[in-house]
């Protein structure tokens, strides 16, 4: 006997695509449109235990304002008593990191192709007052056509906005993944 599929709002939840600090990323399908999406399922209790509530809210509000071909799109946010469901565009081509590892290195043509898209996405984010602050090949996803999508805005910040930091304050805040941080970063 097949078990009933779990549904959240209009989304039927499927297999796990990945796991993060606060929960899992699941494959899901919008039962009304049949559109496949990715849903980040976050555990509220885990978020509260690590005092990350404001950081998650900030990530969501930043992603809501971004809409660009090279940025993973946030469709909507749902919540239950114990979970937060962040519904995202499904990007199925894997991480740029895996593409680099598989091929050993990128040839000049491919490197230029991805770099152009990365610069376009970052320029758009900056034009919206958003600094990602954790750009690395693991946070750059590829869609089925091989186009690059910037993901994981968990360390991002707004600057020169209403309650955002000034650009100068941002330049003196050390954050990101240690192996990718520029040498001497954060040493005012």
């Amino acid at each position: 006997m097949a078990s009933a599929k779990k549904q959240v709002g209009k989304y039927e939840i499927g297999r796990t695509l990945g796991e993060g600090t606060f929960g899992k990323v699941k494959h899901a399908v919008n039962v009304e449109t049949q559109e496949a999406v990715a849903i980040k399922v976050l555990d509220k209790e885990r978020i509260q235990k690590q005092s990350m509530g404001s950081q998650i809210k900030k990530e969501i509000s930043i992603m809501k304002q971004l809409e660009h071909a090279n940025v993973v799109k946030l469709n909507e946010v749902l919540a239950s008593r114990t979970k937060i469901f962040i519904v995202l565009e499904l990007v199925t081509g894997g991480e740029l990191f895996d593409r680099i590892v598989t091929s050993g290195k990128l040839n000049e043509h491919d490197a230029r192709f991805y770099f152009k898209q990365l610069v376009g996405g970052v320029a758009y984010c900056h034009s919206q007052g958003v600094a990602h602050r954790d750009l690395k090949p693991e946070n750059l996803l590829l869609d089925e056509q091989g186009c690059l999508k910037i993901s994981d805005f968990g360390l991002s910040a707004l600057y020169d906005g209403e309650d955002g930091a000034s650009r100068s304050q941002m330049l003196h805040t050390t954050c990101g993944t240690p192996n990718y941080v520029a040498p001497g970063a954060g040493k005012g």
Side-chain angles (χ1 to χ4, degrees):
M1 183 168 102
S3 62
K5 290 256 186 184
K6 183 175 180 180
Q7 193 162 326
V8 174
K10 60 187 171 196
Y11 301 97
E12 195 172 87
I13 308 293
R15 70 187 185 283
T16 299
L17 299 172
E19 292 196 42
T21 312
F22 302 111
K24 297 179 179 183
V25 178
K26 298 276 200 174
H27 182 276
V29 175
N30 180 327
V31 295
E32 295 170 6
T33 66
Q34 299 308 306
E35 174 193 16
V37 295
I39 298 184
K40 220 179 201 183
V41 182
L42 306 178
D43 184 293
K44 285 183 178 178
E45 193 177 318
R46 246 190 268 179
I47 291 166
Q48 285 175 329
K49 276 184 184 168
Q50 295 190 31
S51 305
M52 291 297 288
S54 62
Q55 185 68 31
I56 300 293
K57 283 179 190 164
K58 184 171 72 170
E59 178 181 0
I60 290 168
S61 70
I62 285 172
M63 286 197 72
K64 275 183 181 176
Q65 76 180 46
L66 299 176
E67 194 163 336
H68 187 272
N70 299 116
V71 175
V72 172
K73 183 177 178 4
L74 182 143
N75 294 339
E76 66 178 307
V77 179
L78 306 167
S80 71
R81 193 174 52 77
T82 59
K83 307 262 189 245
I84 298 168
F85 303 92
I86 303 173
V87 183
L88 302 162
E89 163 187 16
L90 179 64
V91 183
T92 60
E95 297 173 358
L96 180 61
F97 179 84
D98 295 327
R99 169 95 165 71
I100 294 168
V101 169
T102 301
S103 59
K105 64 178 182 176
L106 296 179
N107 64 46
E108 189 176 331
H109 176 269
D110 290 347
R112 194 178 298 121
F113 176 74
Y114 294 129
F115 190 70
K116 182 178 179 186
Q117 293 175 69
L118 175 60
V119 169
V122 169
Y124 168 77
C125 290
H126 289 185
S127 76
Q128 301 301 302
V130 174
H132 187 283
R133 304 196 309 176
D134 196 22
L135 288 172
K136 57 186 179 182
E138 294 89 335
N139 288 341
L140 304 174
L141 304 180
L142 303 174
D143 70 12
E144 50 283 343
Q145 283 85 41
C147 291
L148 183 137
K149 304 271 186 176
I150 300 169
S151 73
D152 197 348
F153 284 76
L155 288 179
S156 62
L158 290 165
Y159 60 87
D160 293 330
E162 280 176 35
D163 56 291
S166 75
R167 200 172 196 142
S168 130
Q169 288 170 303
M170 298 262 306
L171 292 172
H172 292 90
T173 302
T174 302
C175 61
T177 304
N179 288 345
Y180 291 100
V181 174
K187 295 179 181 157

